[in-house]
Amino acid sequence: MNTQIMAQRGYSAPAQNQIRTPRATEYAAFAQITARMTRAQSGGPDGFPELAAALHENRKLWRLLALDVADTRNALPNDLRARLFFLYEFTDQHSSKVLERRADAAPLIEINTAIMRGLS
């Protein structure tokens, strides 16, 4: 292999590392976490450790989103910002119930899926 080909490969970004829009990045994060929750949920009791890990990641994602919409410099309409913050609060509280095995993860999966539809 000659040095020119090696240099091109070394400095060219693979297709998966190309720059995404913020919206596409948010979609990808929701899609990955939602897929993990769905897979773990379908695993029954044996999938609970995976579900707990996915719920933790989902909470982190929603916490970041809540921080963003709470920022006064956020350009989204106030009504939408308030609704997203409410969803963060619900997601956080419902995740606790799922981790205590008092609730099902399906509402969290549905919320994330709705957010993904809005982002696409």
Side-chain angles (χ1 to χ4, degrees), residues 36-38 40-41 47-56 98-99 105 109:
R36 286 181 62 199
M37 287 192 301
T38 302
Q41 177 85 354
F48 190 77
E50 184 183 353
L51 179 60
L55 289 172
H56 176 69
V98 174
L99 290 170
I109 293 167

Side-chain angles (χ1 to χ4, degrees), residues 16-71:
Q16 67 218 35
N17 291 336
Q18 290 179 354
I19 297 175
R20 290 184 182 153
T21 65
R23 193 176 191 116
T25 301
E26 289 173 352
Y27 182 93
F30 274 104
Q32 180 183 17
I33 291 170
T34 305
R36 286 181 62 199
M37 287 192 301
T38 302
R39 190 172 45 252
Q41 177 85 354
S42 67
D46 292 339
F48 190 77
E50 184 183 353
L51 179 60
L55 289 172
H56 176 69
E57 293 301 314
N58 194 51
R59 277 179 151 168
K60 285 178 19 181
L61 177 61
W62 275 99
R63 192 173 302 120
L64 285 171
L65 185 64
L67 288 169
D68 187 43
V69 298
D71 189 334

Side-chain angles (χ1 to χ4, degrees), residues 30 33-35 37-38 41 51 54-56 58-59 62 87-99 103-116:
F30 274 104
I33 291 170
T34 305
M37 287 192 301
T38 302
Q41 177 85 354
L51 179 60
L55 289 172
H56 176 69
N58 194 51
R59 277 179 151 168
W62 275 99
L87 286 174
Y88 154 71
E89 290 175 325
F90 174 84
T91 298
D92 190 55
Q93 291 170 8
H94 194 78
S95 294
S96 293
K97 291 177 186 175
V98 174
L99 290 170
D104 188 69
L108 301 172
I109 293 167
E110 290 173 22
I111 289 169
N112 282 12
T113 301
I115 295 294
M116 289 163 47

